[in-house]
Amino acid sequence: MKHFNVALVLVFILSFTLVNAQNDAKTDENKKTVYDYNTDATSKFSLITFGGVGYAIMDNENQPDYNLDASTADILLHYTIGNRWGIATGLGFNRLSGNGFDSAGNNFYHTRGTLKIPVLLSGNYNLSERVRLIGNIGLYAQTIIKDDFEFAGGVSVGDVYEGWGFGLQSGIGLSYNIDSKISLGIMINTQGDFNRGFKTEATTNPPVTQKIKSINTVGLLFNWNL
């Protein structure tokens, strides 16, 4: 978690430097209007992908919580409404892995993959001709596609949990418009389940119900206007 916090500080320092550089350095190419860089008159649709690395917190029923390393990727189809707002939906993928333990003191290594379907409201604010502050917030449904527990002594258990989790996700970042079609940027994203939607019929460990309390990541953004 300390490494993640350091990464956040570095991201914001880099972001501040980038914004000031764009405000101070006016090249001939930057003489295009903000509208020219941020929109494409041929379509209101765009393809957005973003992904990152960070950590997740697993919330267990009647068992200790534990942290996992996380890597995420979202692929979204975005529809622009006006100049500032939009809606997006698509698919998201999370990979979680790391060590945990139960109330009996048994250690295990947990690997999980999830598939997510988000529906997001997005917004943006122009900081300069090429740089935008961007954000999104919305709901998602998420299910497990892979779930493995490896216990000490070589005991391995697969497909322990199943079901659907529902939650809230949000993100904020900076986007640099290379031209009217392509943008690159950095994003900080977070998500967390509302319900204990992941269940198992096992009466012993791992616990009976579970949710992903939070996933916090920092990473890259790519936007392509269609």
Side-chain angles (χ1 to χ4, degrees), residues 114-117 139-144 162-168 191-199 210-212:
T114 68
L115 173 66
K116 180 180 63 176
I117 304 173
L139 303 175
Y140 66 81
Q142 180 172 237
T143 190
I144 296 172
E162 61 181 9
W164 285 85
F166 301 90
L168 177 73
Q191 71 173 71
D193 292 351
F194 295 140
N195 66 321
R196 295 182 184 274
F198 302 141
K199 300 180 180 180
Q210 187 183 74
K211 70 177 181 179
I212 302 176

Side-chain angles (χ1 to χ4, degrees), residues 56-91:
I57 301 175
M58 310 301 292
D59 186 339
N60 299 301
E61 179 187 29
N62 301 321
Q63 293 288 339
D65 298 344
Y66 56 92
N67 293 347
L68 298 176
D69 295 327
S71 57
T72 66
D74 285 56
I75 305 173
L76 306 174
L77 182 64
H78 181 270
Y79 179 77
T80 301
I81 304 173
N83 293 326
R84 297 296 183 196
W85 306 101
I87 54 175
T89 188
L91 297 176

Side-chain angles (χ1 to χ4, degrees), residues 6 15 19 28 36 50 52 55-56 64 68 75 81 89 99 109 118 132 148 189 208 210 221:
V6 171
S15 302
V19 171
D28 290 339
D36 288 337
F50 55 81
Y55 69 93
L68 298 176
I75 305 173
I81 304 173
T89 188
N99 296 310
Y109 184 80
R132 288 179 295 159
D148 294 327
N189 291 287
V208 175
Q210 187 183 74
L221 163 79

Side-chain angles (χ1 to χ4, degrees), residues 78-206:
H78 181 270
Y79 179 77
T80 301
I81 304 173
N83 293 326
R84 297 296 183 196
W85 306 101
I87 54 175
T89 188
L91 297 176
F93 302 91
N94 299 321
R95 185 183 187 279
L96 313 176
S97 62
N99 296 310
F101 63 94
D102 58 33
S103 58
N106 298 312
N107 295 318
F108 55 81
Y109 184 80
H110 185 192
T111 303
R112 171 171 292 172
T114 68
L115 173 66
K116 180 180 63 176
I117 304 173
V119 178
L120 304 175
L121 172 67
S122 67
N124 70 87
Y125 179 79
N126 298 312
L127 299 177
S128 71
E129 282 92 345
R130 289 178 178 263
V131 179
R132 288 179 295 159
L133 178 67
I134 56 176
N136 61 66
I137 188 169
L139 303 175
Y140 66 81
Q142 180 172 237
T143 190
I144 296 172
I145 56 178
K146 179 182 179 181
D147 199 38
D148 294 327
F149 289 82
E150 297 181 15
F151 292 87
V155 178
S156 181
V157 182
D159 299 326
V160 175
Y161 288 92
E162 61 181 9
W164 285 85
F166 301 90
L168 177 73
Q169 79 173 68
S170 62
I172 188 170
L174 290 176
S175 177
Y176 178 80
N177 300 298
I178 296 176
D179 54 33
S180 63
K181 281 190 171 294
I182 298 177
S183 301
L184 299 175
I186 52 177
M187 287 284 291
I188 298 171
N189 291 287
T190 184
Q191 71 173 71
D193 292 351
F194 295 140
N195 66 321
R196 295 182 184 274
F198 302 141
K199 300 180 180 180
T200 175
E201 295 182 357
T203 57
T204 57
N205 299 318

Side-chain angles (χ1 to χ4, degrees), residues 33-54:
T33 65
V34 172
Y35 175 82
D36 288 337
Y37 281 123
N38 291 344
T39 63
D40 187 342
T42 61
S43 177
K44 289 183 174 293
F45 288 95
S46 59
L47 182 66
I48 300 175
T49 63
F50 55 81
V53 295

